[in-house]
């Protein structure tokens, strides 16, 4: 049977404890001595919290939270101009551009950190974010992702499932002189899931994300899950199906001239609900000061809580299931 509730298992970013209180320049997601590395570390020391890139010498420097230099690298940014967003990236992550970074709930906090951390050391002018063109620092990008293994969003159905049970029969087969007939029975459940985007994330509009939708089973049904791709635009419907039915042959022995058939039961259920997909920003928010010579990147995973870097996509979903069972043979 269909469950009263079902689960959207998004492949989302790490769900660290959501600690609310944090003073500037401390990781808002973790304790002050703990480091949260970005997924885009590419040869950087694990406790790197920010980077600088000297656009004249091509030197990339990694720092820890105390602004101690951890390492220096020669780095070639992507000089190909890319003024438009990478379109409709299908996958769990999409590139964020400048305007996306600025729409993060925690952007003002990040900007304050950038000014307090970097301004105090090197610059006097206010920072402005420069995550554009988005592929300029391909090894140290800002991305918005739904692909976290750890997050499970439970969607409660808006009501109990509606089910109907029907008794059905296969068409009859005439028994020949051999005295037996072979009939086929299809048993098990097929599922169909339709989801419609009812609220888009303000970030990465038009991009597509893969999300794993999973439905827990009970004693009678096995758990199944469907991976679907959702586009972050309103009213986009996505349909996924999963067929867990199998067909077996049934041989029946009966007198010649009789007609044999199989009686079985079809149970159809449907239920609807809504679910929310969290899309979380990860990676490096790039800034420059007014003189433009040096670019700075802050590790968003370190400086922002998950909520401060999250945005949500809401779905209305319906699941229907059809279960074929209880086969009995009849010859007459
Ligand atoms: C970061 O790591 C480096 C190298 O292991 C170490 O020297 C430095 O003290 C660390 N920084 C902090 C703030 O823990
Ligand atoms: C550099 O940017 C261009 C334009 O966006 C992109 O097509 C290319 O893949 C980028 N190169 C790298 C190494 O990411």
């Amino acid at each position: 049977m269909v469950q009263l509730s079902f689960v959207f298992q998004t492949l989302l970013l790490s769900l660290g404890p959501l600690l609310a209180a944090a003073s500037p320049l401390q990781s808002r997601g973790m304790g002050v001595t703990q480091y949260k590395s970005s997924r885009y570390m590419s040869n950087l020391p694990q406790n790197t919290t920010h980077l600088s890139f000297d656009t004249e010498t091509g030197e990339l420097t990694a720092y820890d939270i105390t602004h101690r230099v951890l390492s220096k690298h020669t780095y070639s940014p992507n000089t190909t101009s890319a003024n438009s967003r990478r379109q409709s990236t299908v996958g769990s992550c999409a590139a964020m551009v400048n305007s996306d970074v600025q729409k993060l709930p925690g952007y003002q906090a990040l900007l304050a950190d950038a000014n307090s951390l970097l301004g105090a050391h090197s610059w006097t002018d206010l920072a402005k974010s420069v995550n554009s063109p988005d592929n300029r620092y391909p090894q140290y990008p800002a991305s918005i992702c739904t692909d976290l293994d750890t997050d499970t969003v439970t969607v409660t159905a808006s009501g109990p499932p509606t089910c109907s049970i029907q008794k059905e029969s296969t068409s009859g087969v005439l028994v020949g002189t051999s005295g037996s007939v072979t009939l086929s029975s299809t048993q098990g459940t097929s599922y169909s899931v339709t989801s419609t985007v009812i609220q888009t994330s303000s970030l990465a509009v038009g991009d597509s994300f893969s999300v794993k939708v999973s439905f827990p089973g009970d004693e009678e049904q096995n758990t199944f899950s469907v991976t679907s791709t959702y586009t972050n635009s309103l009213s986009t419907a996505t349909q996924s199906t999963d067929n867990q039915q199998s067909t077996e042959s049934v041989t029946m022995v009966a007198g010649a001239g009789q007609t044999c058939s199989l009686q079985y039961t079809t149970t159809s259920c449907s239920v609807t609900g809504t679910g929310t997909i969290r899309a979380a920003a990860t990676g490096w928010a790039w800034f420059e000061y007014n003189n433009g010579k040096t670019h700075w990147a802050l590790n968003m995973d370190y400086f922002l809580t998950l909520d401060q870097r999250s945005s949500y996509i809401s779905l209305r979903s319906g699941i229907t299931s059809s279960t074929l069972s209880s086969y009995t043979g009849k010859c007459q």
Side-chain angles (χ1 to χ4, degrees):
M1 300 300 127
V2 168
Q3 300 298 295
L4 290 178
S5 68
F6 44 93
V7 166
F8 283 77
Q9 188 171 17
T10 65
L11 309 165
L12 276 186
L13 281 177
S14 60
L15 282 173
L18 301 178
L19 304 177
S23 52
L25 304 188
Q26 291 181 11
S27 165
R28 295 184 179 85
M30 311 287 281
V32 65
T33 56
Q34 285 173 290
Y35 284 82
K36 193 122 192 293
S37 26
S38 162
R39 70 165 54 188
Y40 304 111
M41 290 309 272
S42 186
N43 301 324
L44 300 174
Q46 284 305 301
N47 63 1
T48 304
T49 55
H50 55 293
L51 307 172
S52 67
F53 179 71
D54 186 318
T55 55
E56 287 170 0
T57 66
E59 189 173 64
L60 183 87
T61 306
Y63 304 85
D64 70 12
I65 189 60
T66 66
H67 206 63
R68 177 182 314 169
V69 173
L70 298 176
S71 63
K72 287 177 181 279
H73 312 256
T74 306
Y75 181 67
S76 305
N78 191 347
T79 49
T80 313
S81 96
N83 291 316
S84 61
R85 153 193 299 291
R86 203 163 36 147
Q87 282 298 325
S88 291
T89 313
V90 176
S92 54
C93 295
M96 294 178 83
V97 293
N98 204 24
S99 54
D100 292 329
V101 174
Q102 290 174 355
K103 280 183 217 152
L104 287 176
Y107 178 68
Q108 288 306 325
L110 194 67
L111 193 61
D113 281 347
N115 283 316
S116 146
L117 182 65
L118 310 177
H121 288 278
S122 313
W123 307 96
T124 49
D125 293 329
L126 281 183
K128 64 174 195 265
S129 70
V130 288
N131 265 87
S132 176
D134 56 326
N135 278 335
R136 185 162 189 175
Y137 300 103
Q139 287 166 288
Y140 310 105
S143 300
I144 183 142
C145 302
T146 58
D147 68 334
L148 318 189
D149 294 318
T150 49
D151 192 30
T152 302
V153 181
T154 302
V155 179
T156 307
S158 47
T162 311
C163 292
S164 63
I165 299 177
Q166 260 187 300
K167 292 211 177 296
E168 300 188 58
S169 174
T170 62
S171 49
V173 178
L174 193 64
V175 180
T177 51
S178 66
S180 71
V181 283
T182 301
L183 302 170
S184 69
S185 74
T186 299
Q187 309 202 30
T189 306
S190 66
Y191 302 88
S192 172
V193 181
T194 305
S195 299
T196 306
V197 173
I198 54 174
Q199 189 194 317
T200 56
S201 154
S202 57
L203 306 173
V205 173
D207 278 313
S208 299
F209 299 97
S210 296
V211 176
K212 191 175 175 195
V213 184
S214 92
F215 296 79
D218 57 16
E219 308 78 45
E220 290 174 56
Q221 299 292 337
N222 293 324
T223 298
F224 84 100
S225 47
V226 188
T227 300
S228 296
T229 299
Y230 298 96
T231 301
N232 184 24
S233 53
L234 216 52
S235 300
T236 312
T238 306
Q239 188 166 27
S240 312
T241 55
D242 186 41
N243 192 334
Q244 297 183 359
Q245 292 176 334
S246 60
T247 300
E248 284 169 31
S249 294
V250 179
T251 301
M252 299 179 70
V253 179
Q258 286 200 305
T259 300
C260 295
S261 60
L262 294 171
Q263 266 68 61
Y264 62 98
T265 301
T266 301
T267 307
S268 302
C269 293
S270 63
V271 67
T272 57
T274 53
T276 304
I277 300 170
R278 183 198 288 268
T282 182
W284 301 95
W286 284 90
F287 293 92
E288 72 174 20
Y289 286 79
N290 286 343
N291 84 355
K293 185 172 101 64
T294 306
H295 286 179
W296 296 89
L298 263 60
N299 174 357
M300 291 189 286
D301 306 62
Y302 180 83
F303 286 101
L304 298 178
T305 63
L306 185 59
D307 282 351
Q308 283 179 316
R309 53 192 170 85
S310 292
S311 182
Y312 300 89
I313 301 169
S314 296
L315 303 175
R316 182 182 298 113
S317 291
I319 178 173
T320 60
S321 69
S322 176
T323 304
L324 309 183
S325 61
S326 308
Y327 278 78
T328 53
K330 193 166 122 188
C331 297
Q332 58 192 21

